[in-house]
Amino acid sequence: RHSGKMENTVSAPAPEPRVARVERRQGQHLHFPGMATRRAALIGDAFVDVQVGGVGALPCWGTDVACSSVRLLPGGACGNTARQLGALGGCELEAFFYSCVGDDEPGRHYLRTLEAEDSLTSPSRTLRLLPGVPQSCCVILSGSEDRAMCSCYETVHRVTTGLFSAELLAESWALVHLGGYFNCVGLHDDALLDLLRALKARGTLLSMDPQHDCSGKWSGEGGHLRRLLPLLDVFLPNEAEACGIASVGEPTAVATAEEAINQLTARHPSTLVVVKAGGRGILAGRGGERWEVPAAPVEAFVDATGAGDACSAGFLAQVSRCGDARGCLAFAPPPLRVRRSVLVSLLCPALLLTVPLLTAVSARPGGRAHRVAVGRGGGRALREPRGRMRDAAGGGGGAGRARVRRRQEKRRCQ
């Protein structure tokens, strides 16, 4: 994380492992008695994104076109949410990401990147390396107004409940989140339902972000989603996903977020449905209750890759603190000036809109703040969440990062 040439100085000590940092922070003055570290497990898709920028037009077969940049980034709807949740959790929440990666260079690159970011706890243990299986990747060709993608789903389709169920049942979890559900067809079975019932009986909060359904069925394999939704405490689709899922079994297609919420809450009255509706903000409902959180303006919109995933992470981070999903919708940080948005994205380029994160990433009363811009889509790429947050909060390097974390921890304790 250095810029420019390094001088001949004494080498810095090796970074402290996340688990050791959490244990050390529990003894600091900012950690009050009774403030136990909670644990969150996130299960779902892990993609490597090959982001090709500045594409003027898509190439025809046998031709070539120029681009302005090519970047290799960790992605996946669940991977994005896990990384953001780990960065937001601080000393209060440890995030564990359960997925599969290929035993090839892209898969090892994904694993190395997560270990270097240090937002997640023990990714080398929780991510299953699959020998002989190519890593799931998405090549994203981005133009000025649209984008096109080509994806490999080999490792994502091999994510199954049996790979993680014993470990999940052996631990105590405050939150278990499913991400990229429609991509992970290996989870569409009774084993997942049995696991979630067992976790729910222990008091674990269950949530899910479904991701876009490429098949267009919106029901899961064999109608699996219909049996899964009643088990969830929180359901976090974007507007297009909510409308698609709500339209299943209906004579006419559901066209708006309000209609989708009405349909879904009528079928599953105990589940809190939180719809990410782009520029409109957040719309939510449970039973007969309804809430709406308007979007916060941003000074300069950059990109929206992973926006919905970041929104889910912010909401879940607040839920894990107060334990009241409905109460989180009423939570709003003081109006502070937005300096820069994290680069986040959507699968659907027509939905490049932003809505507010329900908790500030870093802020101090009367001072500067940085909020994650979030949006309708569940895009796969989330670009350097911790680095961007550090830069936006006004600190480069280790000192800036330490200042951000102190502000986060002090604000939570207050």
Side-chain angles (χ1 to χ4, degrees):
R1 299 181 184 276
H2 295 277
S3 60
K5 296 182 179 179
M6 295 184 65
E7 303 295 334
N8 293 326
T9 57
V10 178
S11 59
E16 186 178 14
R18 177 178 173 80
V19 174
R21 287 205 315 272
V22 171
E23 292 174 350
R24 175 174 54 78
R25 287 175 183 166
Q26 289 177 357
Q28 294 180 346
H29 68 280
L30 288 176
H31 189 90
F32 292 100
M35 188 187 294
T37 300
R38 296 178 297 279
R39 297 158 59 90
L42 298 95
I43 310 164
D45 57 337
F47 276 88
V48 171
D49 285 354
V50 182
Q51 294 218 346
V52 183
V55 179
L58 295 179
C60 298
W61 291 112
T63 66
D64 185 21
V65 297
C67 69
S68 61
S69 64
V70 178
R71 302 183 67 197
L72 197 64
L73 302 168
C78 192
N80 291 343
T81 300
R83 293 163 62 216
Q84 282 282 19
L85 186 60
L88 289 167
C91 65
E92 299 177 23
L93 182 71
E94 288 186 89
F96 297 75
F97 178 36
Y98 291 90
S99 188
C100 297
V101 294
D103 189 11
D104 55 8
E105 184 52 36
R108 293 185 180 278
H109 171 80
Y110 188 94
L111 188 55
R112 287 194 302 268
T113 303
L114 262 60
E115 290 174 336
E117 285 181 348
D118 202 26
S119 295
L120 298 168
T121 301
S122 305
S124 59
R125 176 174 62 85
T126 60
L127 293 176
R128 304 297 192 259
L129 203 64
L130 303 181
V133 180
Q135 168 64 35
S136 291
C137 296
C138 179
V139 180
I140 306 171
L141 304 176
S142 299
S144 59
E145 297 180 357
D146 209 336
R147 69 186 65 190
M149 289 164 284
C150 180
S151 300
C152 168
Y153 293 91
E154 291 300 313
T155 51
V156 167
H157 284 173
R158 287 171 170 78
V159 176
T160 63
T161 309
L163 292 173
F164 318 110
S165 58
E167 185 172 340
L168 291 169
L169 290 172
E171 302 289 346
S172 177
W173 304 98
L175 168 72
V176 170
H177 176 75
L178 303 177
Y181 167 79
F182 285 123
N183 287 337
C184 301
V185 294
L187 295 176
H188 299 191
D189 58 12
D190 290 338
L192 177 66
L193 303 179
D194 293 339
L195 173 64
L196 295 182
R197 290 188 187 101
L199 293 169
K200 193 177 184 70
R202 300 178 181 182
T204 302
L205 185 78
L206 303 179
S207 63
M208 187 177 80
D209 191 332
Q211 181 65 302
H212 181 75
D213 186 5
C214 296
S215 71
K217 297 177 181 177
W218 300 108
S219 58
E221 296 295 314
H224 184 266
L225 183 60
R226 177 177 52 82
R227 293 177 288 155
L228 170 60
L229 282 173
L231 299 176
L232 300 177
D233 297 294
V234 182
F235 185 46
L236 292 154
N238 65 37
E239 186 169 8
E241 294 159 0
C243 290
I245 293 167
S247 297
V248 174
E250 295 299 318
T252 58
V254 173
T256 68
E258 288 87 352
E259 291 179 49
I261 290 174
N262 290 338
Q263 290 284 359
L264 293 172
T265 54
R267 299 174 194 171
H268 313 289
S270 63
T271 300
L272 175 65
V273 180
V274 180
V275 177
K276 295 163 282 187
R280 297 180 58 192
I282 292 287
L283 286 79
R286 179 156 65 182
E289 299 177 277
R290 299 291 181 269
W291 301 269
E292 183 171 354
V293 181
V298 293
E299 293 177 354
F301 178 76
V302 181
D303 189 8
T305 303
D309 307 329
C311 181
S312 295
F315 182 82
L316 295 174
Q318 187 63 19
V319 168
S320 71
R321 294 187 187 106
C322 70
D324 178 14
R326 287 183 298 177
C328 292
L329 294 167
F331 175 83
L336 296 170
R337 179 173 175 266
V338 177
R339 298 187 62 207
R340 179 191 288 180
S341 64
V342 169
L343 295 181
V344 287
S345 102
L346 316 172
L347 279 180
C348 179
L351 306 180
L352 295 181
L353 299 170
T354 57
V355 297
L357 182 68
L358 297 183
T359 180
V361 175
S362 62
R364 53 188 172 87
R368 294 173 176 175
H370 169 71
R371 291 178 186 168
V372 178
V374 296
R376 292 189 185 187
R380 294 186 180 127
L382 182 58
R383 306 176 185 173
E384 306 174 56
R386 300 181 70 200
R388 289 286 185 181
M389 283 187 281
R390 180 179 69 251
D391 179 61
R401 185 162 57 249
R403 286 196 297 272
V404 170
R405 287 181 176 171
R406 284 196 297 271
R407 293 172 192 167
Q408 291 175 338
E409 292 166 351
K410 185 175 181 180
R411 184 176 177 82
R412 294 187 192 114
C413 294
Q414 288 174 341

